Amino acid sequence: MPSAPRVRFAPSPTGYLHIGGARTALMNFLQARRHGGTFILRMEDTDRVRSTTESVQAILDGLNWLGIDWDEGPGKEGPHAPYFQTQRLDTYKKHADQLIAEGKAYRCYCTRADLDAQREATEKSGGFFKYPGTCRELKAPPPGRREDEAVIRFKMPSGDGTASFVDKALGAISKPYSDLDDWVMLRADGIPLYNFGCVIDDHLMDITLVARGQEHVNSTFPQLMLYQALGWTPPEFAHLPLILGPDREKLSKRKHPEADVMLHKRTGIMPEALNNFVIRLGWSHGNDEVITRDQMFEWFDFADVGTTSGVWNPEKLLWLNQQWMKLLPETTVAERLVPFLEAKGFSVQGDSRLVPLVRALRERARTLEEMATTASLYFRKGVTLDEKAAAKHLSGDSLGLLRKVRDGIAALPEWTVEALDGVVKSVSESSAVGMGKVAQPVRVAITGNTTSPGIGETLLLAGRDEALSRIDAALTRGG
RNA sequence: GUCCCCGUCGUCUAGAGGCCCAGGACGCUGGCCUUUCAAGCCGGUAACACGGGUUCGAAUCCCGUCGGGGACACCA
């Protein structure tokens, strides 16, 4: 490979950023960074009915959230602008005209209705439809038809050759010409189809390596034919394994909600974790699991990409997310937690308990959303006691112990985890009972339940006033 | 249906002929730690799809079978 690769991600803006697309983008981005190359973002917005500007924005937002930065593309006009295919129409026309002039493409006047009928008939009889070349040798429009109504088709080379290429991920792949047909390059309105726009742009943008999902391996063959017809050297290709849903079918927007990158943001997954998870689907570096961005830059190479499709594993994503919550600075996690708490109606901006909260809860939550849910307990006024827990821990001798703890902590000049724990410990010792016997009633009084961080932390998190008031309420209730 | 690609624990994977009666991770599970719950630590569970070759030797190479996925548009 040339020393400075130029790679690209070319999504079609017909919806949100898909998880598979995000991984393709990530890998291309990493490849560029690792080898000092350039990463280009190009919008293949040639599907007139489905492409929307909202989708363009959604894709940009998704990439930004994941920290995947492009060097050339929307908002970063470079030497190969524009980066929207619908703004490059005259370029496509020029090349199409050239191909027609050279006899390598031709105008086709067949109507869609005719073609559809033929296709249906062929398929009904069990075959697979190939364009029969009806208009291949036409010199002029049929009677009553005009040139500007025609689509332009690529003329496949005749004979029994074989198209082949060496894929960086899959190895040698080939397909006989006889399996290919004369495909449409340009619609009558001048808007290109995928195989045409893609090749023209990849070449003009000096792309050296095309890395895309495996669903594109078959379209590589007609594209190769086009490079040949144009006299251009094709780039290298790397076809990445697919990401499958739990049903083992290709992750799709329609059937799999987890295909939406931003859904994960909303459920409290962090970008570090999502990138980490997704890069490990189809690629690995020895036994490494938690991988930082810098390590990705250092290690990633398309040569190490696998060949087998991977199934989406939500459990592992969750595990990775927790690993990342423990790895990232507490303050960073705290900042990210704020919106989730605000969504629950708590204004916590600047609250001094945020960082201690993260410290206590990140070992007990796998997502920011989960952490926020648990954290709500400490921002609310009062608490609802779980009946079973209260019956067990807020009765009899326990209440006496709880009272002693209350008196001890109320007398504390300053609330710190150490001081608070110290009170519980001394009550346990002076009363000659185990720590659990003392801590559990306090825990139930504060959280309403039997599980929480360490008892000192729990008290601190609740805050002096709220903690005392909850204990009083428990004492009152218990008689 | 045709073509293309793929096939190691339930899942993600290591493995590029002997280091593998197959290693790691998630999950599940036993234990330790412990004021609860986690986290952490230690241990367990579980796989080379099948059949033929090639070779002194195959998870690794070849062929076949079976299985899975993908592509077959004036979508990308």
Side-chain angles (χ1 to χ4, degrees), chain A residues 33-179:
Chain A
R33 285 292 174 280
R34 169 165 180 187
H35 298 284
T38 307
F39 175 52
I40 294 117
L41 177 62
R42 181 177 72 227
M43 289 292 168
E44 305 215 329
D45 56 346
T46 54
D47 184 326
R48 290 158 307 169
V49 309
R50 295 193 303 149
S51 293
T52 63
T53 54
E54 291 73 31
S55 297
V56 170
Q57 196 52 51
I59 288 169
L60 264 27
D61 290 347
L63 292 172
N64 282 144
W65 180 64
L66 289 169
I68 299 170
D69 307 319
W70 53 100
D71 305 302
E72 292 177 28
K76 296 204 176 158
E77 304 306 308
H80 304 273
Y83 295 94
F84 286 81
Q85 289 192 320
T86 51
Q87 293 170 22
R88 303 171 61 82
L89 266 26
D90 39 354
T91 304
Y92 307 126
K93 181 178 188 327
K94 196 183 98 195
H95 288 94
D97 286 345
Q98 180 198 329
L99 256 8
I100 291 177
E102 292 172 356
K104 293 169 178 166
Y106 59 93
R107 292 197 172 78
C108 169
Y109 298 87
C110 298
T111 65
R112 206 188 301 224
D114 275 354
L115 257 17
D116 287 347
Q118 288 177 43
R119 185 177 352 259
E120 202 180 321
T122 315
E123 280 167 9
K124 216 192 266 170
S125 60
F128 81 100
F129 180 74
K130 276 172 58 181
Y131 178 69
T134 319
C135 303
R136 211 169 183 199
E137 306 304 335
L138 247 39
K139 295 281 180 286
R145 305 296 302 278
R146 300 192 319 269
E147 275 193 359
D148 62 7
E149 297 174 337
V151 302
I152 298 176
R153 281 187 191 269
F154 179 75
K155 193 185 279 185
M156 277 298 299
S158 37
D160 25 70
T162 297
S164 63
F165 66 100
V166 177
D167 190 276
K168 259 187 111 74
L170 297 173
I173 307 179
S174 60
K175 194 182 193 87
Y177 288 176
S178 53
D179 287 342

Side-chain angles (χ1 to χ4, degrees), chain A residues 204-477:
Chain A
L204 261 22
M205 293 180 179
D206 295 326
I207 301 300
T208 59
L209 167 65
V210 170
R212 79 242 286 199
Q214 272 177 13
E215 71 266 28
H216 290 294
V217 319
N218 280 306
S219 60
T220 307
F221 299 107
Q223 292 180 203
L224 245 16
M225 298 293 91
L226 181 57
Y227 279 105
Q228 204 175 83
L230 257 3
W232 294 344
T233 304
E236 288 191 284
F237 293 95
H239 288 95
L240 312 170
L242 265 16
I243 299 176
L244 274 24
D247 57 358
R248 291 172 181 266
E249 286 191 25
K250 186 172 75 155
L251 210 57
S252 84
K253 299 182 181 183
R254 264 223 113 61
K255 292 165 53 189
H256 310 284
E258 60 269 53
D260 181 359
V261 167
M262 293 311 243
L263 169 74
H264 297 101
K265 179 185 182 187
R266 293 193 294 278
T267 56
I269 297 293
M270 303 191 297
E272 290 83 356
L274 192 56
N275 278 326
N276 195 154
F277 175 72
V278 121
I279 197 74
R280 283 283 289 102
L281 241 31
W283 174 83
S284 63
H285 180 269
N287 284 334
D288 294 299
E289 295 290 349
V290 177
I291 303 173
T292 66
R293 178 58 69 95
D294 284 343
Q295 288 171 325
M296 289 182 198
F297 285 154
E298 193 180 335
W299 296 337
F300 183 80
D301 195 283
F302 279 117
D304 302 322
V305 166
T307 53
T308 60
S309 306
V311 176
W312 184 263
N313 180 351
E315 283 299 325
K316 190 148 185 181
L317 206 212
L318 256 15
W319 174 78
L320 272 172
N321 198 55
Q322 181 170 34
Q323 296 302 307
W324 275 101
M325 290 201 294
K326 297 200 296 181
L327 224 51
L328 259 13
E330 294 163 348
T331 50
T332 303
V333 180
E335 278 165 31
R336 294 180 183 182
L337 179 64
V338 169
F340 288 88
L341 282 164
E342 286 176 342
K344 294 181 186 303
F346 303 107
S347 10
V348 297
Q349 196 62 257
D351 194 306
S352 63
R353 288 175 296 169
L354 244 21
V355 167
L357 213 42
V358 167
R359 199 175 299 144
L361 262 28
R362 63 182 173 177
E363 302 198 332
R364 298 171 170 81
R366 299 199 292 181
T367 66
L368 292 169
E369 169 60 30
E370 197 184 327
M371 190 184 282
T373 299
T374 309
S376 305
L377 196 63
Y378 301 98
F379 291 107
R380 238 192 298 275
K381 284 279 168 243
V383 66
T384 309
L385 300 181
D386 174 76
E387 282 311 319
K388 248 179 90 183
K392 181 165 181 197
H393 297 287
L394 294 177
S395 61
D397 297 348
S398 300
L399 291 168
L401 295 167
L402 181 57
R403 163 136 278 135
K404 283 187 188 172
V405 172
R406 199 231 117 101
D407 292 344
I409 61 177
L412 244 28
E414 201 188 345
W415 276 33
T416 63
V417 173
E418 295 70 30
L420 260 6
D421 277 334
V423 169
V424 175
K425 198 166 177 214
S426 72
V427 169
S428 142
E429 282 163 3
S430 68
S431 311
V433 294
M435 282 288 278
K437 202 80 180 119
V438 184
Q440 282 308 78
V442 179
R443 197 181 317 274
V444 174
I446 301 297
T447 69
N449 222 310
T450 54
T451 70
S452 86
I455 200 64
E457 281 179 292
T458 301
L459 285 163
L460 189 77
L461 255 18
R464 184 178 204 123
D465 294 347
E466 183 63 22
L468 293 177
S469 119
R470 288 188 193 183
I471 291 174
D472 288 340
L475 252 13
T476 310
R477 175 189 177 283

